[in-house]
Structure formats: C-alpha cells, structure tokens
Amino acid sequence: QQQVKQSPQSLIVQKGGISIINCAYENTAFDYFPWYQQFPGKGPALLIAIRPDVSEKKEGRFTISFNKSAKQFSLHIMDSQPGDSATYFCAADQAGTALIFGKGTTLSVSS
Amino acid sequence: SAVISQKPSRDICQRGTSLTIQCQVDSQVTMMFWYRQQPGQSLTLIATANQGSEATYESGFVIDKFPISRPNLTFSTLTVSNMSPEDSSIYLCSVKFSTEAFFGQGTRLTVV
C-alpha cells in the first residue's frame, strides 16, 4: 500500500522556525493531496490540501508546495509554535477511493 | 463536515477473544473506511465498507479476521476476531465528503 513516501520521520524545530516535511508519490492517478495533523489520542484532522493543477497553496502559517513533474509535495510551517507539536501525515487521494497516507512526521517545537 | 462517533474508545482484551467496534456518522455516506494505526505508525487501510454489499479488503487483511458490517448509510462495525497481542493498535473509521476525509477518535485496543 505504501505509495506515498514521507520524510523526515521526526523533526525538532525551535519556536519561530520553519518546519518542512516532504512527500513523494508514485501513482499519477492521484488528484488530491491533503495534509493531516494528529494530536495524541485524537483522530487525524485535515490541515490543508492541494490539487495538482496548483503549485502552491497557503493558509495562514501553513503552505503546500507541489511539483507535479517531480511527483513531490511539501508542507512548510512558518513561525512554528509549540502548539504545532503533533504528528503530520501527507496523503494522496483518487476519487472514489480511500486516502493513502505517508508514514508520518512527528514534529516537536521547542520553546 | 461530519461527526464520527466510535465505541469503545479503548479496551483491554484477552487473547483469543473478539471485539466489535462501532462507528456512527451524523450524515449518510456511501463509503466508510476502516484503518489501523499501530503505535507510532501511519494509518493502514483495512477495508472499504459500502452499504448493501460486501466490504472490500486490502492486501493482508481478511474477512475472517476483520468482519465488517454496514447495515445502513450511517453505521458500520468492525470486529477484530481471535485477537493476539499483534492486534494491539488504534482502529479508526473514516468517511469522505467530496475530497475531505473525516476520522473518528479511534479505538485503542490492547490485547493481553
């Protein structure tokens, strides 16, 4: 099932710094690429998402960069805060099917 | 959006027994998905459950071990049968509206 590769596995960032998480996919049929945030004891929640016809999407401090030719996309968290400490999953979606998730990145933002 | 309620939220079970997890959605949905999340790991799709038809299982998951019911458009159950310690995981149900997927809070299962 592992069609989405995510790195790094863990990330430690200073408060105010930039967190960057990268993902790569194989299946060109994927047409939607969301990022999910998961706090301990909770289910994943949608953070931000992008379609392959757009190269960048920004929502507040969160930005997705998308490179269709390289089949890669990344999440940038600007001005990282301790409250951003969570596990982040990239995913890929194809209409009518279940999401395929990356392995996750555990982010710790130190104050 | 969707609100998904899962029961139980956690359980500790003896090996060899079975546990049924319930998932209730506040809206009607065609497909419901069941995922397993092992400690510190990603979400792995177990099966897709459509109302009125047999669930579709992913490679490595079989109906005898993980039977699923889908009696109507708002409810599904996943049973973990003949449990072993390797089944200790978080089990999550999920639905999609358009492109967005929503998840329940999960059932944390510990098999002893």
Side-chain angles (χ1 to χ4, degrees), chain A residues 1-2 9 32 34 36 38 40-46 51 89 93-104, chain B residues 31 33 35 37 40-46 48 58-59 61 90 92 96 98-106 108:
Chain A
Q1 271 190 33
Q2 189 57 42
Q9 184 175 353
Y32 181 71
Y36 279 79
Q38 185 179 31
K42 303 291 186 182
L46 179 67
R51 291 199 177 275
F89 294 97
D93 187 40
Q94 188 178 349
T97 66
L99 291 177
I100 303 298
F101 287 88
K103 292 198 169 208
Chain B
M31 290 191 290
F33 306 96
Y35 287 87
Q37 186 175 27
Q41 301 297 315
S42 185
L43 290 83
T44 300
L45 181 65
I46 297 172
T48 300
E58 297 299 306
S59 175
F61 298 96
I90 299 172
L92 297 124
K96 285 174 68 177
S98 183
T99 52
E100 184 171 353
F102 297 88
F103 290 85
Q105 288 206 346
R108 183 179 294 272

Side-chain angles (χ1 to χ4, degrees), chain A residues 30-87:
Chain A
F30 291 138
D31 58 6
Y32 181 71
F33 300 88
W35 285 88
Y36 279 79
Q37 181 186 55
Q38 185 179 31
F39 293 103
K42 303 291 186 182
L46 179 67
L47 184 64
I48 188 173
I50 198 168
R51 291 199 177 275
D53 54 348
V54 176
S55 61
E56 185 175 283
K57 183 174 182 180
K58 183 175 181 180
E59 290 183 0
R61 296 184 294 110
F62 301 92
T63 300
I64 300 178
S65 297
F66 190 87
N67 185 330
K68 186 174 181 179
S69 60
K71 294 189 283 186
Q72 295 175 347
F73 58 110
S74 59
L75 175 69
H76 296 232
I77 306 174
M78 311 300 288
D79 186 28
S80 299
Q81 298 297 311
D84 297 330
S85 298
T87 300

